[in-house]
């Protein structure tokens, strides 16, 4: 053998000896299974929660525990199914002792001890089981506000230390299939297996509502997305700027919306989860953001939750929750907040003295609240008798009005209109432009019926202009368009040229009418010739057309 072969052979012998020496050293390395087992158990559970399956290779637990390199990796391992920690080199006495401590499915097979990773014994006598229910649990759409009930979870002493969710959303913005997962951790640190529920989210098509004020127009789709346009001088469109938008345009921050309402140069957005956001002018705190600075982006109105409806006056706002309570904020110039000690409120305050409320409406500086029994409460300014109390003058607390047997309430600038359960319209307050639809009276203190129109389904009221839609889809208008050359209309007149009305909006200067052909008409007089925009009832088709 030449000298090179001798060197290579010697090197191989040395390397092999070193390998076996280190291997035997690691196999004989002292271990601390009582200390290591909880750490490995926690890492295995974290892996399972993230990956959705048991780890089967011990080295793959490295990212889930600190000081992994100090673990005796030659003596620790995982079973083929990943459900057990295996330990080699323990004496039978040591193996039996630790198995008795760990319990469960732990066992010895030959010279290997198997410690279960399926649950931790620590004092946990009950294996935690995750479970949840969804409300609603079917027919879920992109506008559904989902509640999650975890009361059926099984855990020792009913004490859940931690919950880990995946894909949990109160509202799903986009349609599709979703897997929602929940794992729970008991008081001893024992994690459950994930509970998985697959749901299908669909999307409602069509247009839900239209609202307008001054130079702003908002169209709300049934899927919760909003398109808008306007001068945007105060950032009331909530786009982060004051640039005008001349065509109806979608902006991604306007999703999951249930209702949009406009005041003077500001807007409120009610989301499907019951929260409220606002943007625009804010000198009197009408945005409810805790300050009086204008906001160009949507800012949350703090202190409100579980909200059912929102409404705006000129410089104040109101919200109704599902418990029938009303909250108000903004200007208090005419007592619209019903608090003599403040000039305005930068945050929502509960309106005392009214309960069991079904819906609300706000005029310039006053409001109406429809109660469950069909009676109507009024609050705020009453200088023109707009509260329907039968008299003019200041009130110090919300008052029961003379409106009775009512199904819906509406407010204009300084007047009120209500539809009763027979489909008749009753009005009170200022009538200088014929906004109450009754000739010959400038002010009406007791609610009077508008005789020229019957079987009314809904009204759209803003400033001194009123738009009514009958049960047959016919439209009527009266009051003041506030446009040059257009005289006030003192009694309801049918809108010519539009056969059937789906949805309506009213800015106080123009009426926006969506007909059965999905044409959005802008009506500023009754000449029968109106500018219109073709508005696709499917949001995504609208987007495709806009992009082309």
């Amino acid at each position: 053998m030449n000298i090179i072969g001798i060197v290579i052979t010697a090197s191989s012998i040395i390397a092999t000896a070193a390998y076996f020496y280190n291997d035997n050293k690691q196999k004989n390395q002292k271990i601390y299974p009582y200390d290591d087992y909880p750490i490995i158990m926690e890492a295995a559970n974290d892996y399972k929660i993230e990956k959705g399956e048991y780890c089967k290779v011990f080295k793959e637990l490295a990212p889930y525990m600190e000081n992994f390199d100090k673990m005796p990796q030659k003596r620790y391992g995982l079973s083929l199914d990943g459900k057990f920690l295996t330990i080699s080199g323990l004496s039978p006495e040591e193996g039996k002792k630790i198995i008795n401590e760990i319990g469960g499915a732990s066992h010895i097979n030959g010279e290997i001890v198997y410690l279960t990773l399926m649950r931790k014994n620590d004092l946990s006598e009950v294996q935690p089981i995750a479970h949840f229910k969804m409300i609603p649990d079917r027919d879920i759409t992109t506008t559904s506000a989902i509640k999650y009930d975890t009361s059926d979870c099984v855990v020792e002493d009913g004490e859940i230390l931690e919950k880990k969710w995946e894909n949990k959303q109160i509202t799903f913005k986009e349609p599709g299939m979703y897997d929602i997962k929940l794992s729970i951790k008991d008081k001893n640190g024992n994690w459950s297996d994930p509970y998985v529920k697959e749901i299908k989210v669909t999307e409602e098509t069509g247009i839900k509502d239209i609202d307008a004020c001054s130079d702003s127009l908002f169209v709300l789709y049934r899927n919760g997305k909003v398109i808008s346009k306007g001068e945007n001088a105060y950032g009331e469109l909530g786009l982060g700027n004051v640039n005008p938008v001349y065509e109806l345009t979608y902006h991604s921050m306007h999703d999951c919306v249930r209702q949009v309402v406009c005041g003077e140069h500001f807007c409120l957005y009610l989301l499907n989860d019951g929260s409220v956001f606002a943007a625009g002018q804010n000198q009197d705190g009408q945005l409810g953001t805790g300050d009086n600075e204008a906001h160009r982006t949507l800012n949350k109105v703090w202190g409100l939750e579980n909200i059912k409806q929102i409404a705006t006056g000129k410089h104040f706002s109101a919200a109704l929750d599902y418990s029938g309570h009303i909250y108000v904020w903004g200007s208090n110039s005419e007592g619209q907040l019903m608090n003599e000690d403040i000039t305005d409120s930068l945050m929502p305050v509960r309106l005392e003295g009214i309960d069991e409320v079904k819906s609300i409406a706000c005029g310039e500086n006053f409001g109406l609240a429809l109660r469950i029994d069909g009676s109507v409460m009024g609050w705020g300014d009453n200088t023109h008798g707009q509260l329907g109390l039968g008299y003019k003058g200041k009130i110090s607390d919300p008052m029961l009005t003379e409106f009775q047997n009512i199904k819906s309430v509406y407010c204009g600038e300084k007047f009120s209109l209500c539809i009763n359960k027979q489909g008749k319209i009753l009005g009170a307050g200022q009538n200088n432009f014929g906004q109450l639809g009754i000739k010959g009276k400038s002010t009406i203190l007791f609610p009077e019926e508008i005789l020229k129109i019957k079987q009314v389904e809904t009204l759209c009221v803003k400033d001194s202009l009123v738009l009514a839609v009958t049960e047959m889809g016919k439209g009527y208008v009266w009051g003041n368009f506030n446009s040059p050359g257009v005289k006030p209309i003192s009694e309801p007149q049918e809108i010519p040229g539009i056969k059937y009305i789906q949805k309506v909006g009213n800015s106080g200067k123009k009426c926006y009418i969506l007909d059965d052909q999905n044409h959005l008409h802008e009506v500023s007089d009754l000449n029968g010739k109106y500018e219109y925009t073709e508005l696709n009832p499917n949001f995504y088709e609208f987007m495709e057309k806009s992009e082309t």
Side-chain angles (χ1 to χ4, degrees):
M1 181 180 294
N2 58 29
I3 188 65
I4 295 175
I6 294 172
V7 171
I8 292 174
T9 301
S11 299
S12 299
I13 293 171
I14 293 169
T16 302
Y19 171 81
F20 282 109
Y21 172 79
N22 289 329
D23 186 53
N24 287 328
K25 183 180 179 181
Q26 286 196 17
K27 286 182 179 179
N28 294 323
Q29 182 180 357
K30 189 172 183 180
I31 62 173
Y32 303 91
Y34 291 98
D35 295 331
D36 295 342
Y37 173 75
I39 298 171
I40 297 169
M41 176 70 179
E42 195 72 27
N45 273 277
D46 289 343
Y47 179 98
K48 188 171 184 291
I49 290 169
E50 181 176 329
K51 305 291 187 180
E53 60 182 4
Y54 287 97
C55 180
K56 299 176 179 63
V57 179
F58 189 72
K59 288 184 178 181
E60 292 182 3
L61 293 180
Y64 300 89
M65 67 176 86
E66 295 181 2
N67 301 321
F68 177 81
D69 293 337
K70 295 182 180 180
M71 289 284 179
Q73 297 174 35
K74 291 293 183 179
R75 298 190 65 182
Y76 287 155
L78 298 174
S79 61
L80 293 177
D81 59 7
K83 295 182 179 180
F84 294 88
L85 169 67
T86 62
I87 306 178
S88 62
L90 286 180
S91 68
E93 294 76 17
E94 289 176 314
K96 289 179 181 178
K97 183 179 178 181
I98 194 169
I99 284 174
N100 289 334
E101 291 287 336
I102 302 301
S106 301
H107 61 281
I108 296 177
N109 186 0
E111 297 181 354
I112 305 297
V113 174
Y114 289 76
L115 301 183
T116 180
L117 296 177
M118 290 183 284
R119 76 176 184 91
K120 221 174 181 178
N121 191 40
D122 284 345
L123 298 180
S124 293
E125 297 179 0
V126 177
Q127 172 70 13
I129 301 174
H131 190 274
F132 63 88
K133 292 184 289 190
M134 300 174 62
I135 306 170
D137 63 352
R138 63 184 66 184
D139 300 326
I140 298 172
T141 72
T142 51
T143 59
S144 298
I146 302 170
K147 295 182 179 179
Y148 295 83
D149 180 3
T150 60
S151 60
D152 288 340
C153 288
V154 177
V155 65
E156 186 173 334
D157 296 331
E159 185 177 345
I160 299 175
L161 187 66
E162 186 179 346
K163 298 176 184 177
K164 286 188 178 180
W165 290 92
E166 183 177 328
N167 257 347
K168 178 189 177 186
Q169 300 178 45
I170 295 176
T171 300
F172 290 83
K173 294 182 179 182
E174 302 296 337
M177 300 298 298
Y178 294 88
D179 283 339
I180 305 171
K181 296 181 182 181
L182 170 66
S183 299
I184 60 172
K185 184 179 184 181
D186 70 9
K187 64 181 183 180
N188 300 310
N190 186 16
W191 280 100
S192 70
D193 289 339
Y195 175 76
V196 183
K197 184 185 286 287
E198 184 182 57
I199 65 168
K200 181 180 181 180
V201 178
T202 59
E203 186 166 67
E204 294 184 65
T205 59
I207 292 166
K208 181 179 181 181
D209 203 5
I210 300 170
D211 199 47
C213 187
S214 302
D215 298 308
S216 298
L217 172 64
F218 296 83
V219 177
L220 172 61
Y221 277 86
R222 293 189 184 279
N223 65 359
K225 298 182 185 295
V226 177
I227 57 176
S228 60
K229 69 176 183 177
E231 291 297 326
N232 198 33
Y234 295 88
E236 58 266 37
L237 297 184
L239 308 180
N241 57 55
V242 291
N243 301 327
V245 179
Y246 298 113
E247 300 292 336
L248 284 168
T249 308
Y250 165 69
H251 304 276
S252 60
M253 66 282 292
H254 297 160
D255 283 345
C256 303
V257 179
R258 189 193 309 166
Q259 185 188 5
V260 185
V261 294
C262 308
E264 185 175 79
H265 302 303
F266 76 99
C267 297
L268 300 184
Y269 300 75
L270 171 60
L271 304 192
N272 289 320
D273 63 3
S275 60
V276 180
F277 287 76
Q281 195 176 51
N282 192 34
Q283 76 274 21
D284 297 305
Q286 56 265 49
L287 299 187
T289 52
D291 56 42
N292 54 11
E293 299 294 326
H295 291 279
R296 300 174 181 179
T297 57
L298 300 187
N299 280 253
K300 188 171 185 178
V301 180
W302 294 105
L304 296 180
E305 59 182 14
N306 201 31
I307 298 301
K308 177 182 180 181
Q309 183 196 353
I310 50 178
T312 55
K314 187 174 183 180
H315 293 146
F316 86 103
S317 305
L320 170 67
D321 69 16
Y322 278 98
S323 298
H325 302 139
I326 300 173
Y327 297 85
V328 290
W329 62 97
S331 173
N332 193 37
S333 59
E334 301 296 333
Q336 54 267 52
L337 305 187
M338 292 275 90
N339 188 333
E340 295 181 351
D341 297 329
I342 58 175
T343 56
D344 53 42
S345 177
L346 306 182
M347 300 283 283
V349 293
R350 182 173 165 181
L351 186 61
E352 301 293 341
I354 306 180
D355 57 9
E356 298 184 340
V357 178
K358 182 179 179 181
S359 65
I360 58 175
C362 291
E364 182 180 38
N365 297 311
F366 71 100
L368 296 181
L370 174 61
R371 302 178 72 196
I372 296 172
D373 62 3
S375 63
V376 177
M377 300 286 290
W379 80 89
D381 183 27
N382 189 44
T383 36
H384 298 272
Q386 57 263 53
L387 297 185
L389 302 175
Y391 60 86
K392 299 178 183 179
K394 185 177 180 180
I395 62 170
S396 56
D397 295 295
M399 301 287 291
L400 182 66
T401 74
E402 295 294 324
F403 291 108
Q404 298 295 325
N405 196 34
I406 301 302
K407 73 172 185 178
S408 53
V409 293
Y410 308 87
C411 297
E413 189 174 24
K414 294 179 174 66
F415 67 101
S416 300
L417 294 170
C418 297
I419 302 175
N420 67 17
K421 294 178 181 179
Q422 289 73 44
K424 299 176 181 178
I425 304 176
L426 304 172
Q430 192 178 65
N431 192 41
N432 56 333
F433 296 117
Q435 54 265 56
L436 295 180
I438 299 170
K439 275 187 175 182
K441 297 181 179 181
S442 60
T443 303
I444 295 175
L445 302 181
F446 286 94
E448 286 193 28
E449 181 184 345
I450 300 176
L451 298 174
K452 296 287 185 178
I453 183 171
K454 308 288 184 183
Q455 297 179 314
V456 178
E457 179 66 27
T458 188
L459 298 176
C460 193
V461 185
K462 193 66 65 76
D463 295 344
S464 299
L465 184 63
V466 182
L467 172 59
V469 182
T470 68
E471 295 172 0
M472 300 301 293
K474 292 186 178 295
Y476 292 80
V477 68
W478 62 93
N480 186 18
F481 275 108
N482 196 25
S483 298
V486 181
K487 295 181 179 180
I489 304 168
S490 59
E491 291 183 307
Q493 290 190 26
E494 186 175 351
I495 300 172
I498 301 176
K499 292 182 180 180
Y500 183 84
I501 295 176
Q502 291 191 72
K503 298 293 178 182
V504 291
N506 181 354
S507 71
K509 297 179 180 180
K510 292 181 180 180
C511 294
Y512 295 91
I513 300 174
L514 183 68
D515 66 15
D516 57 345
Q517 302 299 312
N518 294 306
H519 294 158
L520 182 63
H521 300 267
E522 297 187 15
V523 179
S524 55
D525 55 45
L526 298 182
N527 63 15
K529 299 177 182 179
Y530 318 119
E531 293 184 7
Y532 71 84
T533 303
E534 289 190 14
L535 200 56
N536 199 298
N538 184 298
F539 171 77
Y540 292 102
E541 290 181 9
F542 166 82
M543 289 295 293
E544 288 177 6
K545 187 175 180 180
S546 299
E547 290 170 359
T548 57

